[in-house]
Amino acid sequence: DVNGNLGLYDSTLDVSTANYGINVAGDWINNGNLVARGGTVTLDAGAGIAQTMSGNTVFNNLTKTVTTASALFLDYRARQNMSGALTLRGVARTCSVYEVPRQGAHRTCSWMEMRGAR
């Protein structure tokens, strides 16, 4: 459980064959390597706290669920890939989905608004 930013700088984070989960309350900064195996990364910032993901990462499962309006910013120069499930759940309000690419992995997106360059 990381109660702030998680930064990988020229390093490797391996969830091991036990497939440990990683909870991050701050930003995800990847300038290294995540060995995701069967693990889940959960972005669990507090109410109304925005989180940013930067750097190229291949996740197994990536999850973010909020109970109050929050933002998740993705670095447009980087790629975030999921080999397992992508689960993004927001608060009940107007839902506008602009683009959610799907290439074989399961994804669940509810009550969210996505914007960005295409």
Side-chain angles (χ1 to χ4, degrees), residues 59-101:
F59 297 95
N60 178 50
N61 299 320
L62 177 64
T63 300
K64 180 167 178 71
T65 300
V66 298
T67 56
T68 59
S70 299
L72 175 59
F73 297 100
L74 303 176
D75 180 354
Y76 72 91
R77 299 163 295 194
R79 280 197 179 197
Q80 311 302 327
N81 295 303
M82 275 53 68
S83 60
L86 168 63
T87 304
L88 302 173
R89 288 195 174 100
V91 295
R93 59 183 241 176
T94 303
C95 179
S96 301
V97 175
Y98 290 89
E99 182 176 1
V100 179

Side-chain angles (χ1 to χ4, degrees), residues 2-33:
V2 179
N3 290 322
N5 297 337
L6 174 63
L8 302 176
Y9 301 96
D10 294 323
S11 58
T12 297
L13 175 58
D14 188 339
V15 300
S16 89
T17 56
N19 296 318
Y20 291 110
I22 302 169
N23 293 349
V24 180
D27 296 337
W28 177 273
I29 306 157
N30 187 5
N31 294 315
N33 183 40

